[in-house]
């Protein structure tokens, strides 16, 4: 789950920037001469959540299109934005001309794909890699969402703790240590065992739930069968059960800190764990939660190969008043050039193939991570992502229950692995 | 009303008898109907915003109904049966009652005591009286963030204090009772002051001569409180108890915020430790199941539960209040 979008810890940190920037967005719709075609005035309402980094782009677009006024309608939390999108589908009313949606909501929005306009054009058809397009394409091949950002993952690690444990600290060496381009989970846990044996007082990773996010996303069909959408978790050799067994047998390397809790947030500043799975957007969260901790670094590697966590889309409700103009704006906002600008200023990593290779993107370094070339690293991590797990009708619920099953074993310690797995299966059976 | 005063002066003569009859009838209607007409805006509004959703929810609960794709076939009571067969519903009901008991009961008792104290002749009375209302002004989200810090499992203040006095840290999010206590704390923090002020207002309306009479009869402070104050504020007590019962059984914000790991559609603890009925309702209807039918069934079940509890409360409060019989008895003895 793309929790970063739901959590106020992150939101709180970004609100400052958000407030500063939205201030400009409502400002001048300057009078400079235009290239825009004639036509009546249109007002486009754009609903986003958290920080999409669009304020400057809105101003720029309005300058070029004097007949267009853009109203930013930013939800405080992604929960609110999700409820608002769902309510407008449920009551088939259109309140915003463009709505942003997290990849986690896409399976349910795709079921109501009639509500949204087809946004594919000959220009943007090759803009994203196939896996990103697939997330917003319905069964009949209609594209309902234009991809904005993505979350290719690397491994963030603590140099000082690695040193204490006698492990290499250079980011290239760490990547090799974990297996480089053929990194496996076995190697990750084996290194974890070495690290734990050194008794630094810190754990190897934050929690099983955090790892599950990566491991499940690496399965082609994590919980459901692609062919008939049936739930497969109950089978004894299901992918989910394999991941569960693999993770719960390494509970000893966990810091038992559930993601997004206060304890977890505070842990980035102290010495609680040495590694954390790191989608591009996580770097901002770490830097925000532990501004004084100078030892975080990032390695261009991921156990099990590669994975993407999160990312959003812009959707255009088909019954809106200004569908053509809204489509044009959404298309422009998600074009590679704009996506690259957003990344440079706000750090939302692009999902567009050309933007990822853009020189301004690959040249970006991050002073917080000891000047790590984060642009290049995440560009590499992005290129490695080749597939997207199948997400059926119950993906979100099962994924949530899976996370809770791991939390019971790892964080709460209210159940052992077998009992927690049984509770998981019971909970999945109740879905309907 | 003008017509009424006119009527008797009309001469009862000849033809326009029918017209007078008409007027009379109008007059009678005026008397009978107008009062209802005057209070009708409330009921019209209530019918639109209260009664209609209530009945509509009942209709939804009898259908297979998806939030996004809309109405499905009529399924009778199947949604109710499904919900009642889900262990999670019973867990949510248990949690709701437990949090309700841990919050509402101490809340009303504490409010009653504080109100009694504030009713006494204190220095800077207004200051103290406004002081109790301050927590009520704090936004629930802010309260949740503050208490979230206090009740963090590893880095929280509460566990730090406990470990200072040699008690091992409590799993505020993993232990069922501990999580309920933490949430009840948030609720009490916000609502005690509000209830205090309502009760205080009622106490101030008690005529002083009753107390004087009690003092002359030699009643102690405590005896005055139980035999005069409580019976005299009975209607207010009933109001406070019933509104806080309803609020307590519908609790949503605090437990949702207490789960920092999950969003509103999945919150409530890894093992459902503090999922409440309203949270369960929201998760069914607005989580990714989008099952509005079952969600509506839960809403009606909750409605029935609240109705039942409120009736019990009413009966119970009437019993307390029949303590006023004590006053009557006392008077009889005297005379």
């Amino acid at each position: 789950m793309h929790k970063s979008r739901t959590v106020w810890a992150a939101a709180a940190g970004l609100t400052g920037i958000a407030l500063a920037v939205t201030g400009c967005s409502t400002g001048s719709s300057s009078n400079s001469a235009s290239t825009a075609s004639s036509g009546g005035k249109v007002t486009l309402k754009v609903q986003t959540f958290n920080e999409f980094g669009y304020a400057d782009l809105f101003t720029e677009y309005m300058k070029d299109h004097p007949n267009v006024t853009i109203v930013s309608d930013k939800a405080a939390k992604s929960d609110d934005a999700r409820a608002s999108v769902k309510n407008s589908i449920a009551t088939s009313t259109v309140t915003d001309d463009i709505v942003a949606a997290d990849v986690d909501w896409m399976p349910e929005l795709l079921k109501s794909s009639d509500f949204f306009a087809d946004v594919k054009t000959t220009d943007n058809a090759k803009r994203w890699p196939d896996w990103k397009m697939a997330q917003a394409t319905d069964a009949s091949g209609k594209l309902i969402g234009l991809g904005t950002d993505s979350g290719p993952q690397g491994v963030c690690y603590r140099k000082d703790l690695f040193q204490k444990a006698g492990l290499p600290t250079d980011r290239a060496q760490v990547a090799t240590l974990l297996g480089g381009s053929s990194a496996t989970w076995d190697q990750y846990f084996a290194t974890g065992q070495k690290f734990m044996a050194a008794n630094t007082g810190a754990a190897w990773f934050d929690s099983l739930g955090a790892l599950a996010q990566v491991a499940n996303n690496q399965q082609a069909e994590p919980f459901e069968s692609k062919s008939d959408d049936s739930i497969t978790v109950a089978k004894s050799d299901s992918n989910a059960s394999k991941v569960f067994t693999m993770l719960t047998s390494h509970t000893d390397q966990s810091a038992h800190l559930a993601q997004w809790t206060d304890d977890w947030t505070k842990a980035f500043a102290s010495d609680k764990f040495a590694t954390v799975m790191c989608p591009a957007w996580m770097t901002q969260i770490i830097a925000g939660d532990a501004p004084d901790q100078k030892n975080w670094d990032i390695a261009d590697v991921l156990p099990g190969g590669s994975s993407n966590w999160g990312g959003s889309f812009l959707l255009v409700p088909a019954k809106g008043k200004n569908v053509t103009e809204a489509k044009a704006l959404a298309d422009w906002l998600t074009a590679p050039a704009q996506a690259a600008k957003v990344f440079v200023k706000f750090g939302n990593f692009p999902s567009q193939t050309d933007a990822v290779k853009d020189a301004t993107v690959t040249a970006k370094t991050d002073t917080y991570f000891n000047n790590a070339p984060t642009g290049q690293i995440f560009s590499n991590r992005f290129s490695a992502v080749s597939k997207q797990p199948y997400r059926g009708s119950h993906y979100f619920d099962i994924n949530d229950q899976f996370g809770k099953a791991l939390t019971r074993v790892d964080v709460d310690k209210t159940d052992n692995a077998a009992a927690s797995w049984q509770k998981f299966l019971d909970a999945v059976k109740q879905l309907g | 009303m003008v017509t009424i005063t006119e009527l008797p002066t009309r001469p009862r003569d000849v033809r326009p008898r029918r017209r007078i009859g008409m007027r009379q009838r109008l007059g009678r209607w005026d008397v009978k109907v107008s009062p209802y007409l005057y209070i009708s805006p409330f009921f019209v509004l209530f019918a639109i915003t209260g009664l209609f959703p209530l009945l509509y929810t009942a209709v939804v609960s009898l259908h297979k109904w998806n939030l996004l794709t809309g109405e499905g076939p009529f399924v009778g009571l199947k949604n109710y049966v499904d919900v009642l067969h889900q262990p999670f519903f019973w867990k949510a009901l248990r949690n709701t009652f437990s949090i309700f008991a841990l919050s509402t009961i101490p809340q009303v008792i504490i409010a009653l005591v504080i109100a009694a104290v504030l009713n006494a002749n204190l220095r800077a009375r207004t200051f103290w009286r406004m002081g109790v209302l301050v927590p009520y002004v704090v936004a629930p989200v802010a309260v949740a963030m503050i208490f979230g810090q206090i009740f963090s499992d590893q880095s929280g203040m509460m566990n730090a204090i406990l470990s200072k006095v040699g008690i091992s840290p409590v799993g505020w999010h993993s232990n069922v009772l501990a999580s309920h206590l933490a949430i009840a704390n948030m609720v009490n923090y916000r609502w005690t002051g509000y209830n205090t002020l309502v009760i205080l207002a009622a106490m101030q309306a008690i005529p002083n001569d009753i107390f004087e009479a009690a003092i002359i009869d030699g009643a102690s402070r405590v005896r005055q409180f139980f035999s005069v104050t409580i019976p005299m504020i009975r209607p207010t007590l009933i109001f406070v108890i019933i509104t806080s019962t309803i609020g307590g059984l519908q609790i949503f914000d605090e437990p949702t915020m207490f789960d920092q790991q999950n969003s509103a559609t999945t919150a409530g603890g890894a093992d459902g430790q503090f999922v409440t009925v309203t949270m369960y309702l929201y998760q069914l209807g607005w989580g990714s199941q989008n099952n509005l039918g079952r969600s509506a069934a839960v809403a009606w079940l909750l409605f029935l539960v609240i109705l039942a509890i409120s009736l019990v409360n009413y009966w119970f409060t009437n019993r307390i209040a029949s303590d006023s019989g004590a006053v009557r008895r006392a008077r009889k003895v005297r005379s």
Side-chain angles (χ1 to χ4, degrees):
Chain A
M1 246 170 289
H2 191 166
K3 285 290 176 41
S4 80
R5 301 242 177 258
T6 70
V7 164
W8 6 326
L14 291 170
T15 318
I17 309 168
L19 287 176
V21 187
T22 36
C24 320
S25 80
T26 48
S28 66
S29 62
S30 96
N31 306 322
S32 73
S34 68
T35 54
S37 59
S38 62
K41 297 247 176 220
V42 282
T43 303
L44 297 176
K45 266 180 92 179
V46 183
Q47 178 181 278
T48 59
F49 48 88
N50 297 350
E51 181 54 82
F52 273 65
Y54 283 164
D56 289 350
L57 295 176
F58 287 164
T59 315
E60 190 181 333
Y61 192 83
M62 286 190 281
K63 211 179 215 173
D64 293 343
H65 303 79
N67 62 323
V68 175
T69 311
I70 301 170
V71 179
S72 172
D73 175 14
K74 187 166 3 188
K77 289 192 295 175
S78 73
D79 263 358
D80 300 341
R82 184 180 178 203
S84 148
V85 174
K86 286 170 75 164
N87 279 338
S88 63
I89 295 176
T91 56
S92 72
T93 45
V94 177
T95 49
D96 295 276
D97 298 284
I98 297 176
V99 290
D102 188 90
V103 58
D104 279 344
W105 326 338
M106 291 311 281
E108 57 187 358
L109 298 188
L110 281 168
K111 276 197 236 163
S112 307
S113 58
D114 285 348
F115 185 79
F116 299 102
D118 192 340
V119 286
K120 198 192 273 180
T121 65
T122 43
D123 276 347
N124 68 26
K126 293 275 170 224
R127 191 178 280 174
W128 300 273
D130 290 344
W131 58 265
K132 182 79 181 174
M133 297 279 275
Q135 291 173 343
T137 308
D138 75 354
S140 68
K142 174 177 166 185
L143 183 74
I144 63 165
L146 297 161
T148 58
D149 59 333
S150 69
Q153 307 202 64
V155 174
C156 291
Y157 66 99
R158 281 278 297 274
K159 275 198 310 192
D160 54 337
L161 295 176
F162 268 51
Q163 189 168 24
K164 251 195 203 169
L167 299 174
T169 58
D170 176 72
R171 62 180 78 94
Q173 284 174 309
V174 170
T176 319
L177 175 75
L178 295 176
S181 57
S182 56
T184 59
W185 284 101
D186 285 345
Q187 188 149 2
Y188 177 72
F189 288 124
T191 318
Q193 207 164 356
K194 266 188 233 159
F195 178 86
M196 296 305 285
N199 274 326
T200 58
W204 179 234
F205 54 82
D206 48 349
S207 67
L208 296 180
L211 303 188
Q213 191 65 51
V214 181
N216 280 330
N217 271 339
Q218 287 169 344
Q219 312 294 323
E221 298 165 274
F223 308 125
E224 296 146 298
S225 151
K226 201 171 186 169
S227 53
D228 59 355
D229 201 34
S230 61
I231 299 173
T232 56
V233 292
K235 290 180 191 148
S236 61
D237 63 336
S238 67
N239 288 328
S241 108
K242 279 182 211 154
V243 171
F244 190 84
T245 313
M246 173 184 84
L247 293 177
T248 47
S249 55
H250 294 100
T251 316
D252 55 325
Q253 299 180 11
S254 165
H256 314 296
L257 291 165
Q259 281 192 308
W260 315 118
T261 57
D262 278 343
D263 287 337
W264 180 79
T265 311
K266 284 180 190 151
F268 284 108
S270 55
D271 303 339
K272 298 275 189 182
F273 46 81
T275 65
V276 62
M277 296 297 136
C278 226
W281 43 263
M282 187 71 88
T283 57
Q284 304 162 46
I285 290 174
I286 299 176
D289 284 342
D292 301 324
Q293 176 56 266
K294 299 295 178 205
N295 288 300
W296 283 105
D297 209 319
I298 177 161
D300 186 359
V301 69
L302 191 73
S306 65
S307 178
N308 174 73
W309 180 5
S312 296
F313 293 88
L314 296 183
L315 291 77
V316 178
K319 281 188 209 146
K321 267 182 265 164
N322 311 301
V323 176
T324 321
E325 289 85 353
K327 273 193 202 173
L329 172 60
D331 189 69
W332 183 81
L333 285 171
T334 56
Q338 278 64 254
K341 278 186 211 166
V342 170
F343 173 67
V344 172
K345 189 155 178 195
F346 294 94
N348 303 5
F349 195 77
S351 64
Q352 297 85 343
T353 321
D354 286 346
V356 170
K357 292 180 193 142
D358 191 286
T360 58
V361 171
T362 51
K364 193 179 174 184
T365 57
D366 194 327
T367 45
Y368 179 83
F369 287 89
N370 297 297
N371 291 315
T374 46
Q376 188 58 52
I377 290 176
F378 285 120
S379 180
N380 296 344
R381 300 315 309 152
F382 181 87
S383 308
V385 178
S386 56
K387 58 176 184 241
Q388 182 64 21
Y390 172 69
R391 294 176 160 189
S393 326
H394 294 293
Y395 175 82
F396 192 93
D397 284 311
I398 304 174
N399 191 41
D400 168 50
Q401 290 298 341
F402 193 87
K404 285 183 173 173
L406 289 172
T407 302
R408 285 194 289 267
V409 180
D410 179 30
V411 182
D412 290 355
K413 304 185 185 76
T414 50
D415 289 281
N416 62 30
S420 187
W421 179 252
Q422 195 50 50
K423 279 187 182 176
F424 166 71
L425 293 182
D426 290 343
V428 169
K429 241 182 255 167
Q430 286 178 31
L431 300 175
Chain B
M1 299 291 174
V2 181
T3 34
I4 308 169
T5 53
E6 278 174 8
L7 273 174
T9 62
R10 282 263 162 202
R12 258 183 146 269
D13 65 350
V14 281
R15 292 280 301 192
R17 206 174 168 209
R18 265 175 67 199
R19 264 185 59 210
I20 292 173
M22 186 63 190
R23 271 171 182 267
Q24 266 178 334
R25 223 174 304 149
L26 273 179
R28 218 173 304 135
W29 284 351
D30 187 26
V31 173
K32 284 193 169 164
V33 178
S34 299
Y36 296 102
L37 215 63
Y38 297 144
I39 57 162
S40 67
F42 168 79
F43 288 96
V44 172
L45 262 181
F46 173 75
I48 296 169
T49 61
L51 199 62
F52 172 72
L54 204 68
L55 297 175
Y56 192 68
T57 308
V59 174
V60 171
S61 73
L62 298 175
H63 289 79
K64 192 175 166 63
W65 201 301
N66 182 294
L67 177 72
L68 298 183
T69 54
E71 188 178 348
F74 180 84
V75 292
L77 293 176
K78 185 173 177 296
N79 284 324
Y80 291 85
V81 176
D82 285 349
V83 166
L84 291 174
H85 275 99
Q86 297 212 350
F88 214 60
F89 171 76
W90 297 104
K91 210 175 232 180
L93 199 64
R94 172 203 74 184
N95 294 345
T96 307
F97 273 115
S98 162
I99 295 174
F100 157 71
L102 286 172
S103 58
T104 306
I105 297 171
Q107 193 185 109
V108 172
I109 294 172
I110 294 170
L112 199 59
V113 172
I114 299 180
V117 172
L118 288 179
N119 198 27
N121 265 326
L122 292 176
R123 230 173 266 222
R125 241 184 306 178
T126 317
F127 172 78
W128 297 115
R129 285 176 188 175
M130 291 326 291
V132 295
L133 202 62
V134 169
Y136 180 67
V137 185
V138 183
V141 176
V143 175
M145 286 184 102
I146 296 164
F147 280 80
Q149 298 270 338
I150 296 176
F151 289 110
S152 277
D153 293 326
Q154 290 194 10
S155 55
M157 196 173 88
M158 206 64 195
N159 276 343
I161 295 172
L162 287 181
S163 66
K164 282 261 159 60
V165 291
I167 300 170
S168 58
V170 176
W172 294 108
H173 291 78
S174 55
N175 183 297
V176 174
L177 191 64
S179 69
H180 294 181
L181 271 173
I183 293 165
N185 253 312
M186 282 187 230
V187 180
N188 291 344
Y189 172 78
R190 276 199 78 216
W191 288 96
T192 309
Y194 174 82
N195 287 333
T196 303
L197 281 201
V198 174
I199 295 172
L200 178 63
M203 284 182 179
Q204 304 230 298
I206 304 174
N208 240 337
D209 42 353
I210 300 182
F211 285 108
E212 279 162 16
I215 292 167
I216 291 168
D217 286 351
S220 68
R221 278 278 174 143
V222 178
R223 183 70 202 269
Q224 283 173 42
F225 180 73
F226 283 106
S227 300
V228 181
T229 312
I230 291 195
M232 291 298 285
I233 60 169
R234 184 180 96 184
T236 310
L237 267 187
I238 294 178
F239 168 79
V240 166
I241 290 174
I242 288 186
T243 49
S244 48
T245 301
I246 295 172
L249 291 174
Q250 292 183 340
I251 186 161
F252 181 83
D253 288 1
E254 285 85 355
T256 302
M257 297 291 185
F258 191 62
D259 192 332
Q260 299 163 326
Q261 211 197 342
N262 292 300
S263 72
T265 51
T266 55
D271 201 14
Q273 285 97 330
F274 46 93
V275 112
T276 63
V277 177
T278 39
M279 287 166 79
Y280 180 57
L281 180 159
Y282 184 73
Q283 293 172 6
L284 277 178
W286 284 266
S288 35
Q289 294 190 55
N290 295 318
N291 197 335
L292 209 59
R294 275 190 196 173
S295 184
V298 173
W300 263 89
L301 289 170
L302 180 63
F303 174 69
L304 295 178
V305 167
I306 292 180
L307 204 65
I309 301 290
S310 295
L311 286 176
V312 169
N313 265 343
Y314 185 74
W315 174 83
F316 183 69
T317 328
N318 264 331
R319 298 246 93 188
I320 297 180
S322 66
D323 254 330
S324 62
V327 178
R328 251 178 276 131
R329 272 196 303 280
R331 278 200 188 132
K332 247 181 221 160
V333 170
R334 242 191 303 149
S335 58

